[in-house]
Amino acid sequence: MSTSGVGKDGMHGERPGREAQVGKGPQRRGRKRGRHRGEKAMVPDAEFTSYYGRPILNPPVWKASDVAAYFFLGGLAGAGSVLAAGAHRTGRPVAARALKISSLAALGGSTAALIHDLGRPERFVNMLRVMKPTSPMSMGSWLLVAYGPAVGAAAVLDVTGLFPRLGGAATAGAAALGPSVCTYTAVLAADTAVPAWHEAHRELPFVFAASAVAAASGMALVTAPPRETGPMRTAAALGAALELAAAKILEHRAGLAAEPYKKGKAGRFVRAGEILSVAGAAGGVLLGGRGRAAAALSGAALLAGSACTRFGVFHAGTQSARDPRYTVIPQRERLRAAAG
Amino acid sequence: MGGLVGRNLLAGPEPDVAADAGHPDPPPRMGFFTDTSVCIGCKACEVACKEWNAVPEDGLEFTGMSYDNTQGLGADTWRHVAFIEQNKPMGHAETGAGDGGATDLRWLMASDVCKHCTHAACLDVCPTGSLFRTEFGTVVVQEDICNGCGYCIPACPYGVIDQRKGDGRAWKCTLCYDRIGAGMEPACAKACPTDSIQYGPLDELRERAALRVDQLHDLGVDDARLYGHDPDDGVGGDGAFFLLLDEPEVYGLPPDPVVTTRDLPSMWRHAGMAAAAMLGGLAAVFAVHGRAGGGR
Ligand code: SF4
Ligand code: SF4
């Protein structure tokens, strides 16, 4: 509509609105226009404002049943590989085999969940089109490319009894990569504008690592005889304790962004996760060495607790993205602090 | 990765975005300056964008949010005009209502769009390389590559990009990559009757915007301020920046956005520490317990 235009040579023609005297009015008595020059009327509002209460961010479109499950299963697989290698080397063959199989199954499940969550699942291979250090999802995909064959070989060679040397090497390889498989998903969540995830970027990897150890220990308690699960019971206790500690530090450090972890659906999942993890770890340590049934029950509680924690973290993120307060207030405070 | 920060590739001012992205000898960085003080809320930009880019219809809803039934940016809304009704004076303007003096009533309108950030979180986190930096310094999705992983969506600090329902891929403003490549201005800027949306080389737009703010302050519109113009801000400055008449959050914009990848080195460091702690801790547990049969 404007009479001007822009060409390869640049802009030409007069633009009508640019100099519009918006806000011009007659001079009022006793007020000099010059007074306003450079005057700052931008005293920040004390109270919170938003655009009709609408979120600033576009909340994640990820489905909890896919992505929270992917976090959980990835942790179960990764920590399971470390425990499997430990069991393998210390003469605990039943636990080692069970954990190798569960890691392979969990990895399969987590990959399936990830692919299922894509808007274009048939284009999954595009994940391997580039290798991008700035994208945790790209790095994670490549990590899984290295980890998958190791986990697969460890499980298959153990079950078939073929090439024990190679099986040992695969077991060790999976154990070396396993911890990163557990923690990179925390970076994946934290590397977003979602307040509850981003503000927790220091603590979230520890929460995920600890929760993964608790889950894999639980799996060992469910699947292996008590005479082999001594280390796993200790690991479960350590995992549950560290998970609680990391969550407490998170609550303390993340400020307002930690609030969603205590509210609504996220709050219920987080609380259930805490109760189940503590109960499972306590049951494992006190009773897990005595009877198979008590051990299995404790293990199941540990697994469920870890899953609840991941769903809690997931929902805390989406809740914080949906409420503009979590985006605006910390940013306002930051600006105010910077202004002195 | 600490070295990358020093070289301004993850955060901070970055004067040559296109060159740093690998374009040899790029044209000047192009962008938008949206001067909301002259926006009349006609939504011509919304319509022009939809028409030119063949963006599908995404529902007709009555929201009760002043004249805004569009609601916000998303996969199928690449320009969004916000409407805010306020009991505040607009400089010394008189509407003829009330006692004839300046009235405490104003209607703010502002056309929002993708900011084409200097440090674009959407681009940083995209695992497929679908999002890329053009020779004009803008940020564009390649729809033939996007696999709909959805990572870019929560990464954007402004809530711009989103997944298209039934399509699965992520969509957003391309700054009319096809038009500007042919030397034309983007559809929204072309259609804007008041020149609220101005397209051009970013350097030039920044100069013009600074003059405009001074002019408005002279007229008594003290609350005029620029938003997204500063290369020192959390995203290294926006390719599409604004002149606003109130705080950014009043328009649904974040007051101090920061590109999430600024903290990525710290995230990887903490993840590495957690992974090492896990490996070491479990090794210690097995060492303490010893071989099965011995000990416990
Ligand atoms: S505003 Fe959002 S979608 Fe646009 S370039 Fe920046 S991060 Fe990407
Ligand atoms: S949804 Fe598409 S554009 Fe967005 S990060 Fe994933 S692959 Fe990239």
Side-chain angles (χ1 to χ4, degrees):
Chain A
M1 305 266 274
S2 47
T3 47
S4 61
V6 83
K8 285 214 162 92
D9 48 331
M11 322 270 296
H12 51 85
E14 262 311 298
R15 319 287 296 210
R18 285 189 181 164
E19 311 285 304
Q21 310 262 294
V22 173
K24 186 177 160 64
Q27 290 306 296
R28 296 210 243 159
R29 261 171 300 144
R31 277 190 104 182
K32 278 237 210 76
R33 194 204 261 178
R35 216 180 80 180
H36 291 279
R37 181 91 208 246
E39 196 179 277
K40 278 223 163 176
M42 291 176 249
V43 185
D45 269 357
E47 79 230 36
F48 158 77
T49 43
S50 75
Y51 186 66
Y52 300 99
R54 296 186 55 86
I56 301 254
L57 305 176
N58 283 336
V61 292
W62 295 329
K63 291 179 281 297
S65 54
D66 286 332
V67 173
Y70 161 70
F71 293 167
F72 165 69
L73 292 171
L76 177 59
S81 289
V82 181
L83 291 179
H88 181 95
R89 294 208 29 177
T90 57
R92 296 176 166 90
V94 182
R97 177 171 297 177
L99 286 168
K100 287 176 197 175
I101 296 171
S102 90
S103 284
L104 179 58
L107 178 68
S110 77
T111 310
L114 184 63
I115 295 176
H116 182 253
D117 198 63
L118 295 179
R120 289 287 171 108
E122 74 281 6
R123 290 189 183 172
F124 172 69
V125 285
N126 283 6
M127 287 289 185
L128 305 180
R129 193 178 157 266
V130 291
M131 191 182 262
K132 250 174 101 170
T134 60
S135 171
M137 201 179 279
S138 167
M139 297 324 277
S141 301
W142 286 103
L143 179 63
L144 294 184
V145 165
Y147 176 68
V151 163
V156 169
L157 296 181
D158 190 320
V159 171
T160 58
L162 294 169
F163 311 113
R165 279 272 178 79
L166 197 59
T171 305
L177 294 172
S180 309
V181 174
C182 300
T183 57
Y184 97 84
T185 46
V187 179
L188 191 140
D191 193 19
T192 59
V194 174
W197 293 341
H198 186 89
E199 296 311 317
H201 69 261
R202 294 177 202 84
E203 297 82 18
L204 222 44
F206 289 93
V207 173
F208 275 33
S211 173
V213 168
S217 305
M219 182 56 89
L221 289 181
V222 171
T223 53
R227 77 189 130 78
E228 286 196 6
T229 56
M232 288 68 160
R233 294 193 296 267
T234 309
L238 288 177
L242 185 63
E243 188 186 322
L244 285 186
K248 285 285 161 273
I249 296 172
L250 188 160
E251 268 173 33
H252 185 69
R253 288 244 299 244
L256 183 66
E259 195 182 272
Y261 289 94
K262 285 173 265 171
K263 278 183 135 179
K265 213 186 214 176
R268 288 196 292 279
F269 271 117
V270 167
R271 215 158 32 247
E274 283 172 5
I275 293 169
L276 285 165
S277 300
V278 170
V285 169
L286 301 174
L287 309 169
R290 305 201 188 150
R292 196 69 200 255
L297 205 60
S298 307
L302 285 165
L303 284 163
S306 174
C308 283
T309 301
R310 308 314 177 94
F311 276 81
V313 169
F314 182 87
H315 287 298
T318 47
Q319 281 168 211
S320 74
R322 285 210 179 94
D323 188 338
R325 283 189 332 123
Y326 298 117
T327 308
V328 170
I329 294 175
Q331 293 189 13
R332 263 284 150 234
E333 279 168 2
R334 194 159 67 211
L335 285 175
R336 212 165 294 156
Chain B
M1 303 261 302
L4 287 182
V5 176
R7 287 166 51 218
N8 288 335
L9 289 176
L10 285 178
E14 188 180 343
D16 298 312
V17 265
D20 291 348
H23 292 287
D25 212 3
R29 183 174 177 188
M30 302 304 272
F32 284 132
F33 165 46
T34 305
D35 175 358
T36 70
S37 69
V38 293
C39 178
I40 55 170
C42 69
K43 303 190 193 180
C45 50
E46 287 189 13
V47 175
C49 174
K50 283 230 178 203
E51 288 292 332
W52 180 265
N53 294 297
V55 178
E57 180 257 297
D58 55 344
L60 296 169
E61 236 184 295
F62 179 71
T63 62
M65 292 157 38
S66 190
Y67 275 32
D68 181 5
N69 291 325
T70 309
Q71 305 181 45
L73 295 175
D76 300 323
T77 305
W78 301 354
R79 269 277 178 194
H80 161 236
V81 183
F83 291 75
I84 301 120
E85 296 173 31
Q86 289 184 325
N87 288 323
K88 284 186 189 174
M90 173 79 93
H92 302 305
E94 287 180 4
T95 61
D99 61 4
T103 51
D104 281 355
L105 183 76
R106 63 179 189 175
W107 204 6
L108 304 183
M109 296 142 206
S111 180
D112 194 11
V113 70
C114 169
K115 316 300 176 289
H116 295 275
C117 310
T118 301
H119 299 285
C122 62
L123 192 163
D124 284 347
V125 304
C126 174
T128 63
S130 160
L131 273 154
F132 80 113
R133 178 83 55 189
T134 73
E135 66 272 35
F136 300 104
T138 57
V139 178
V140 175
V141 193
Q142 300 173 82
E143 299 303 347
D144 52 341
I145 289 167
C146 173
N147 66 10
C149 73
Y151 202 177
C152 49
I153 296 158
C156 171
Y158 298 97
V160 170
I161 193 164
D162 210 347
Q163 190 175 44
R164 183 172 288 171
K165 303 264 170 311
D167 170 279
R169 294 171 294 175
W171 298 82
K172 71 167 194 75
C173 159
T174 69
L175 213 130
C176 283
Y177 191 31
D178 50 352
R179 292 177 60 91
I180 68 175
M184 298 199 291
E185 67 184 320
C188 55
K190 186 76 191 167
C192 180
T194 66
D195 223 17
S196 168
I197 301 174
Q198 301 174 22
Y199 162 77
L202 196 53
D203 291 341
E204 226 179 282
L205 294 177
R206 282 177 179 155
E207 268 170 46
R208 198 186 295 155
L211 291 175
R212 177 65 175 162
V213 173
D214 282 349
Q215 186 197 9
L216 287 173
H217 286 173
D218 279 347
L219 286 167
V221 187
D222 298 332
D223 34 17
R225 85 281 313 265
L226 297 179
Y227 174 80
H229 62 298
D230 183 1
D232 286 311
D233 72 12
V235 298
D238 292 329
F241 66 102
F242 301 81
L243 185 152
L244 304 179
L245 298 174
D246 205 333
E247 299 293 349
E249 57 264 42
V250 169
Y251 297 86
L253 295 164
D256 185 28
V258 171
V259 59
T260 177
T261 33
R262 183 196 68 183
D263 299 323
L264 190 55
S266 159
M267 294 179 211
W268 284 127
R269 225 175 16 252
H270 284 86
M273 281 169 4
M278 175 174 162
L279 201 56
L282 292 180
V285 167
F286 276 100
V288 167
H289 278 271
R291 293 193 67 81
R296 309 204 270 143

